Amino acid sequence: MTGIFALDLPWLTSRFDVATGAIDGVPSVQRYLADLRGCFADARAYEAALARGNPLVYSVASVEPAHGAGDLHYGLAVVHPGRVGGEYFHTKGHLHQWREAAEIYLGLAGEGAMLLESERTGETRLVPLGEGHVVYVPGYTAHHTINTAAVPLAYLGVYPAAAGHDYGAIADSNFRSVVVERDGRPVLLERAAFHA
Ligand code: S6P
Ligand code: ZN
């Protein structure tokens, strides 16, 4: 029998820290600018930014116990403020390996957005994600988060334990749209238009 059916689990209750992105007793993954090669549309601006330093772009602490079909996983992420060639700092983004798996995002602090791109229909949606926002990410949808403010963006993502992460498709062809700062405001542009 697999699955979480006992009540003596270390992760039955946990404390998390919105400021640091830490969850007690759980490992955290740090993604620095150098880890995000290919993720920003302006490759020259990326190399120039990297020459100036290698800031922390985001961290994710994930609670992912061995699972059964009905179990849940969750992660606390903090995306720091910053831009590369006008494009706001954002997470790598992924599809779920089990394409049907949906996910709930709960915004805890800061201000930002989520870029959703349907693998099935090709539709793109930019939806707000910040303190007080909930976003439902349907299955078959590539998703990443974007910090559009000057303070850290923190959120929890809750997903089926069987979801898995597929970073390959995004690493190969990237999102079709980018979110850039124009006159102090976030604007959604076609990646091709941004290059032009
Ligand atoms: C997991 C969930 C989040 C992300 C986090 C970092 O399904 O969507 O916890 O892991 O936003 O993004 P990424 O694309 O680096 O995993
Ligand atoms: Zn996800």
Side-chain angles (χ1 to χ4, degrees):
M1 184 167 63
T2 56
I4 299 167
F5 304 112
L7 296 182
D8 60 346
L9 310 166
W11 52 85
L12 202 61
T13 175
S14 299
R15 282 188 66 82
F16 63 87
D17 185 336
V18 168
T20 63
I23 303 177
D24 283 355
V26 166
S28 167
V29 173
Q30 265 77 41
R31 301 277 186 219
Y32 290 86
L33 192 60
D35 302 317
L36 298 177
R37 187 173 294 279
C39 294
F40 292 94
D42 187 337
R44 266 177 150 186
Y46 174 80
E47 296 303 338
L50 206 51
R52 290 193 296 273
N54 186 23
L56 179 63
V57 177
Y58 66 99
S59 67
V60 197
S62 303
V63 178
E64 296 189 327
H67 66 83
D71 295 335
L72 294 172
H73 284 170
Y74 66 93
L76 170 67
V78 174
V79 184
H80 294 280
R83 291 193 295 270
V84 172
E87 185 178 355
Y88 294 100
F89 275 9
H90 55 71
T91 56
K92 284 185 170 187
H94 58 267
L95 285 145
H96 292 145
Q97 231 154 35
W98 177 35
R99 289 295 199 264
E100 288 179 21
E103 181 163 5
I104 298 285
Y105 274 67
L106 305 165
L108 302 173
E111 226 179 285
M114 256 188 113
L115 186 60
L116 305 175
E117 197 176 280
S118 168
E119 190 182 37
R120 292 213 139 164
T121 67
E123 287 168 284
T124 292
R125 289 274 189 291
L126 185 68
V127 298
L129 175 69
E131 187 179 350
H133 284 102
V134 181
V135 178
Y136 184 94
V137 180
Y140 296 92
T141 303
H143 47 287
H144 77 166
T145 59
I146 301 151
N147 186 342
T148 58
V151 295
L153 169 69
Y155 57 86
L156 269 176
V158 185
Y159 44 100
H165 294 93
D166 175 0
Y167 291 95
I170 295 300
D172 289 347
S173 55
N174 226 320
F175 287 85
R176 279 188 286 273
S177 304
V178 293
V179 180
V180 299
E181 186 265 341
R182 289 282 187 273
D183 300 324
R185 300 180 63 81
V187 174
L188 183 69
L189 295 179
E190 291 274 328
R191 185 173 296 273
F194 177 84
H195 283 305

